[in-house]
Amino acid sequence: WQMMARAFRLFFPRMLVAMLAFLPVLAGRAAESLPPATPPAPEVLFRDVRVFDGRSTALSGPTTVLIRGNLIAAIGAGAIHAGPAVTIIDGGGRTLMPGLIDAHTHLMFATLPQVAVLTGDVGFLNVAAVKAANEMLMRGFTSARDVGGPVFGLKRGIDMGLVPGPRI
């Protein structure tokens, strides 16, 4: 035990000095590896919509909703400040509601017969899954919990913006 304590007392200060001397190199590399500044989040302004918030049984009166990135930035009938590159959508009095969540789905296998899933090419299964994910999004499901199947590639493609689909 005494030999270990002595070795530690001799070794630790030298190791600490070496680490401190190396920190500027690490800091420089970390700064080099930082991604470039991200552009501002895209904005979408919905005008003349009636909002269903999931809490009230009644729809709101005609209102305006500003979405920045994937978050609701403002709701109100008055003037809402949006950036110059905002996309404006006239709702024409239609209902705007939060996205639905499917808590039990099988995106990789739901749209094909079982024989095709068991005997089909994996590339074909992925093409069918992309179609299923897009259709799910168009039905109003913005999030999905896939409870089985190799869905990680599909999730990555959706997250990277390569294909449209719900958040998995």
Side-chain angles (χ1 to χ4, degrees):
W1 168 251
Q2 288 179 347
M3 278 183 36
M4 284 179 50
R6 183 171 184 261
F8 182 76
R9 279 194 312 270
L10 292 174
F11 176 71
F12 184 73
R14 291 181 181 147
M15 183 180 72
L16 190 59
V17 168
M19 287 173 51
L20 290 174
F22 195 62
L23 277 178
V25 174
L26 290 177
R29 292 237 170 104
E32 291 171 4
S33 66
L34 289 175
T38 56
E43 294 181 330
V44 179
L45 184 70
F46 292 92
R47 287 189 179 152
D48 189 21
V49 292
R50 300 186 67 192
V51 175
F52 172 71
D53 63 9
R55 295 181 182 178
S56 173
T57 57
L59 297 175
S60 74
T63 192
T64 302
V65 178
L66 176 65
I67 308 294
R68 188 171 292 124
N70 63 355
L71 298 175
I72 298 170
I75 299 175
I80 292 180
H81 178 67
V86 66
T87 301
I88 298 174
I89 298 175
D90 182 11
R94 294 180 185 88
T95 302
L96 184 67
M97 62 183 259
L100 301 171
I101 300 171
D102 189 334
H104 185 126
T105 188
H106 302 274
L107 282 167
M108 292 298 291
F109 305 136
T111 60
L112 296 172
Q114 189 174 13
V115 171
V117 170
L118 295 173
T119 61
D121 174 67
V122 70
F124 173 70
L125 295 176
N126 282 295
V127 169
V130 166
K131 182 178 185 292
N134 184 45
E135 290 172 351
M136 177 178 267
L137 184 63
M138 292 299 106
R139 288 192 306 269
F141 290 88
T142 57
S143 295
R145 179 175 166 254
D146 193 289
V147 293
V151 75
F152 301 109
L154 176 61
K155 176 191 177 354
R156 187 173 179 196
I158 291 170
D159 290 348
M160 291 177 65
L162 300 175
V163 295
R167 180 176 28 239
I168 298 175

